[in-house]
Structure formats: structure tokens, C-alpha cells
Amino acid sequence: MPFVVTDNCIKCKYTDCVEVCPVDCFHEGPNFLVIDPDECIDCTLCEPECPAQAIFPEDDVPAGQEHYIKLNAELSRDWPVIAVRKDAPPDAADWDGVKDKLKYLEK
């Protein structure tokens, strides 16, 4: 069961999770990260590293955010792999906890 990046990552895009991933399954977009479900080995290392608490096992994705399962799979095909931590956007803390951020997703 792969892990899934969900709504709260949008515009927060903390990258603490990417450094602990042993298989480099994270992909980076302009303001969001996704996990390639075909590469994820379900190691559980990334979930506790996410300051925004935006990573969940596929079976535990919060109600109403199930569409992020498909979105992670789709965007991971187009976006480049990220394996090294970067600084979060300067306003990341302001966006942490904002609900329904899908409209802000930049592809």
C-alpha cells in the first residue's frame, strides 16, 4: 500500500520527507509534492517527517481527499524526482492547515 501526499502539502511543500525516502519516490511540482505509487515501498519513513502532516497510507487518506490517490499517480509521471531537502516556501507556515487547497495546485 503506497503512501499518498494530500491537500495540506499544497503551497506548504515542506521537503523533509524526501531525504528519508530510500527509493526516491517523491516528485516535485511548483507548489506540491507527490509520491509515485509504483516506486513507494511502504517503508513508513516519510509520514512522520512531514511537518504539515499531509502524508497518509493509501487506505488511510482522509475522507474527501481520496482523489489525491489518483492525482499522486498522475503527476508523478510528469514531475521530476526530488531526493534532497529544499527550504520550504517563505509563506509555508501561513498555508499549513488551510482547507481545500486543490484550487491552488500548480501543475
Side-chain angles (χ1 to χ4, degrees):
M1 162 183 47
F3 280 73
V4 178
V5 182
T6 59
D7 194 66
N8 203 40
C9 181
I10 296 172
K11 294 188 82 62
C12 288
K13 198 173 88 168
Y14 294 104
T15 58
D16 305 62
C17 52
V18 304
E19 283 196 326
V20 298
C21 181
V23 294
D24 298 339
C25 68
F26 281 90
H27 294 255
E28 180 184 25
N31 66 349
F32 186 53
L33 299 176
V34 295
I35 294 174
D36 181 339
D38 295 328
E39 293 294 324
C40 180
I41 60 170
D42 313 325
C43 70
T44 74
L45 295 174
C46 61
E47 185 180 21
E49 295 300 317
C50 179
Q53 299 177 331
I55 301 173
F56 296 89
E58 184 176 322
D59 290 345
D60 294 335
V61 169
Q65 294 192 43
E66 296 88 351
H67 56 280
Y68 282 95
I69 297 168
K70 183 177 177 184
L71 190 63
N72 273 244
E74 291 173 355
L75 295 176
S76 67
R77 287 185 228 128
D78 297 327
W79 289 352
V81 169
I82 177 173
V84 177
R85 185 186 175 282
K86 296 180 179 179
D87 290 337
D91 61 348
D94 297 336
W95 286 98
D96 189 3
V98 172
K99 302 290 184 210
D100 301 318
K101 296 192 285 185
L102 186 58
K103 61 188 167 219
Y104 301 112
L105 177 63
E106 297 174 30
K107 296 181 185 179

